[in-house]
Amino acid sequence: MAGDAPADIVWSDDHTVAFRDIHPQAPTHVLVVPRRHIEDASVISPSDAEEVVALLTAAKAVADAEGIGDDDRGYRLVFNVGPDALNSVSHLHLHVLGGRRLDGPLG
C-alpha cells in the first residue's frame, strides 16, 4: 500500500488498489486492498461499510477487466483471516481468483 515494493497494479480508485498476487493460485489472482487500513475481515464494523462496498465493487471491475466477470464461468472472492487461513498480511485484502475451474483448495 505504501508503494515500497513493486506491484503489477490492475485497478485503482479513491478507496482501493488492486494488484496481481506474487504467488498466483489461478490464471487470474488479484488482491484488492482498501486504501484505509483495516486489520482483517474479523474487525469489520458498520463504520467500514464504504470500504467493504468499494472492495466488492473493485473486485467486480477487476473480474470484468480480466475477462472473467462477463461470462457464465464465474470467479471466486476470498477473505483470509488469521494464521489457520494462512493470512500473513495484517491489512484487509480480497482475493479475486478465476480463469479456470477452481476445484482445489481455497486461497
Side-chain angles (χ1 to χ4, degrees):
M1 282 302 301
D4 298 334
D8 184 2
I9 296 175
V10 299
W11 174 264
S12 180
D13 62 24
D14 290 343
H15 297 285
T16 64
V17 174
F19 50 91
R20 297 196 189 285
D21 193 291
I22 61 172
H23 300 293
Q25 303 298 307
T28 297
H29 188 167
V30 175
L31 303 178
V32 183
V33 181
R35 291 185 181 273
R36 184 172 67 82
H37 179 73
I38 300 171
E39 182 79 17
D40 63 33
S42 72
V43 299
I44 290 173
S45 72
S47 66
D48 300 315
E50 188 172 12
E51 282 76 16
V52 173
V53 169
L55 282 176
L56 294 172
T57 301
K60 172 65 170 126
V62 166
D64 289 344
E66 294 289 313
I68 61 172
D70 54 358
D71 64 16
D72 62 353
R73 304 286 308 189
Y75 54 96
R76 183 178 289 167
L77 301 177
V78 178
F79 287 105
N80 293 320
V81 179
D84 282 356
L86 302 180
N87 184 35
S88 60
V89 178
S90 61
H91 188 100
L92 181 66
H93 57 284
L94 175 61
H95 296 256
V96 180
L97 300 117
R100 68 167 170 80
R101 184 170 178 83
L102 300 171
D103 310 304
L106 297 177

